Amino acid sequence: MAERHVLGLSGGKDSAALAVYMRQTHPELDIDYFFTDTGEELPEVYEFLGRLEGYLGKPILRLNPRRDFKFWLKEYNNYLPSAQTRWCTRMLKLKPFEQWVTPMLKSGDKVTSYVAIRADEDYREGYSSKQYNLLIKLPFREAGIDKAGVMDILESSGVGYPSYYEWRSRSGCTFCFFQQKIEWVRLKERHPDDFDAAKALEKDALEHGSPFTWSKGESLSELEQPERISEIKAEYEARSARLRKRIPSNPLRPTKESPEDIDDVYGDDEGGGSCLICHK
Ligand code: SF4
């Protein structure tokens, strides 16, 4: 029986900051860092993980699902995953983690999993473990570290942010349905091959009766039309301007803009309730 420590990285800023924080505050712990790789990740995510590995001084384990996205799409009647039926997270993120951790738990090891829930976030039930020897720890909550604290950790360590924040507000698969429409437009501009691959998957799914499109209310073929792109960009600019005006300024505690805030202007209209496992 051994004591194991594990920390899952999503490719997003909170889990990366937690890895840095644990390295700084608990260098004595031999933590296994892991990333569940759906095979549909942005190149910027791999680049960021590489940067993080440099800081941590050890490799981040890549947990690959045994079956890829296309296999599961067929299994789920060609229904694209959606906020209502998020089978992708179950099969491509949770299952590989379970397959990895179950042998440790079965052999009686005590496994502590560190999760990047911040002090300014609600505790979510989903993080409790039902297994007696799997312990969940929330170091940021315990230490009172909020979003500004996470930003400080990443900036002061030199790790910085993933570069996809230049154009996208969340980590996750190239075709993640939690993307805002403006982010689909930018995916097309930045990674046209990934956009085309998502479009092909959607076309196939729709031909097989999928009730869902990647983006709410329209297919990617409709969304990519020049006049629709102009509309989406104009709406995004108008919303951003409105949002910036609403942010109160506090001279006593100036608030730094978090990279994902810059672009997450839609709130619950688009992308709300996004997946914590993929986007933390
Ligand atoms: S990032 Fe999005 S598409 Fe990928 S597994 Fe998570 S919820 Fe599904």
Side-chain angles (χ1 to χ4, degrees):
M1 288 197 298
E3 282 229 12
R4 308 280 300 251
H5 301 270
V6 303
L7 193 158
L9 293 153
S10 68
K13 70 174 186 356
D14 288 352
S15 56
L18 182 60
V20 170
Y21 176 80
M22 293 305 291
R23 175 87 184 77
Q24 288 171 343
T25 56
H26 291 284
E28 77 286 0
L29 295 179
D30 183 18
I31 299 179
D32 287 326
Y33 301 99
F34 67 92
F35 172 67
T36 40
D37 187 342
T38 63
E40 306 290 347
E41 311 288 341
L42 290 166
E44 290 96 323
V45 169
Y46 297 117
E47 184 272 327
F48 183 57
L49 292 178
R51 223 184 312 150
L52 201 50
E53 282 175 328
Y55 181 86
L56 297 172
K58 68 189 293 189
I60 296 166
L61 297 172
R62 313 294 161 107
L63 308 182
N64 294 101
R66 290 185 191 148
R67 312 278 198 175
D68 65 5
F69 179 85
K70 283 190 185 131
F71 172 86
W72 290 114
L73 183 62
K74 292 261 169 306
E75 287 293 295
Y76 282 85
N77 288 330
N78 291 291
Y79 277 27
L80 289 175
S82 66
Q84 297 81 37
T85 45
R86 203 186 298 167
W87 57 256
C88 49
T89 311
R90 226 168 20 250
M91 306 323 284
L92 300 172
K93 291 273 177 189
L94 285 172
K95 221 174 173 38
F97 172 67
E98 282 165 14
Q99 281 161 351
W100 178 60
V101 83
T102 299
M104 300 179 205
L105 296 172
K106 278 198 171 148
S107 68
D109 290 353
K110 183 179 149 199
V111 180
T112 305
S113 174
Y114 299 89
V115 178
I117 300 289
R118 300 187 314 253
D120 55 332
E121 292 178 305
D122 291 338
Y123 178 72
R124 313 213 183 207
E125 278 288 304
Y127 285 100
S128 341
S129 155
K130 288 175 187 63
Q131 280 178 280
Y132 78 95
N133 52 344
L134 177 61
L135 272 90
I136 308 293
K137 282 209 154 208
L138 311 176
F140 281 164
R141 279 184 68 90
E142 285 167 21
I145 293 173
D146 59 5
K147 190 191 268 189
V150 158
M151 290 160 67
D152 282 344
I153 290 169
L154 287 179
E155 282 170 11
S156 61
S157 64
V159 170
Y161 303 106
S163 57
Y164 59 74
Y165 279 138
E166 288 165 16
W167 62 276
R168 184 169 155 158
S169 57
R170 292 183 185 86
S171 56
C173 302
T174 56
F175 48 56
C176 184
F177 48 86
F178 283 120
Q179 269 174 109
Q180 307 167 86
K181 289 186 189 289
I182 188 71
E183 292 170 339
W184 281 109
V185 170
R186 292 173 181 160
L187 179 70
K188 182 176 167 63
E189 289 168 353
R190 300 235 176 187
H191 298 291
D193 292 348
D194 288 330
F195 184 91
D196 286 345
K199 199 167 73 170
L201 280 174
E202 182 185 67
K203 184 169 178 287
D204 192 42
L206 291 175
E207 280 168 6
H208 285 87
S210 171
F212 303 114
T213 42
W214 286 125
S215 184
K216 199 172 162 194
E218 62 191 328
S219 68
L220 293 186
S221 311
E222 290 163 330
L223 182 146
E224 71 170 340
Q225 296 308 312
E227 56 286 4
R228 180 68 185 123
I229 287 185
S230 307
E231 222 174 78
I232 291 170
K233 285 185 172 175
E235 195 198 335
Y236 167 75
E237 290 305 331
R239 277 199 189 228
S240 298
R242 277 204 302 273
L243 190 83
R244 283 196 156 88
K245 267 199 203 146
R246 282 213 305 267
I247 296 173
S249 64
N250 178 354
L252 297 177
R253 195 189 179 209
T255 42
K256 275 192 283 179
E257 250 177 357
S258 163
E260 87 268 37
D261 291 343
I262 294 167
D263 274 336
D264 195 3
V265 300
Y266 290 88
D268 283 346
D269 290 359
E270 287 181 37
S274 69
C275 163
L276 291 176
I277 294 152
C278 307
H279 303 136
K280 253 297 156 197

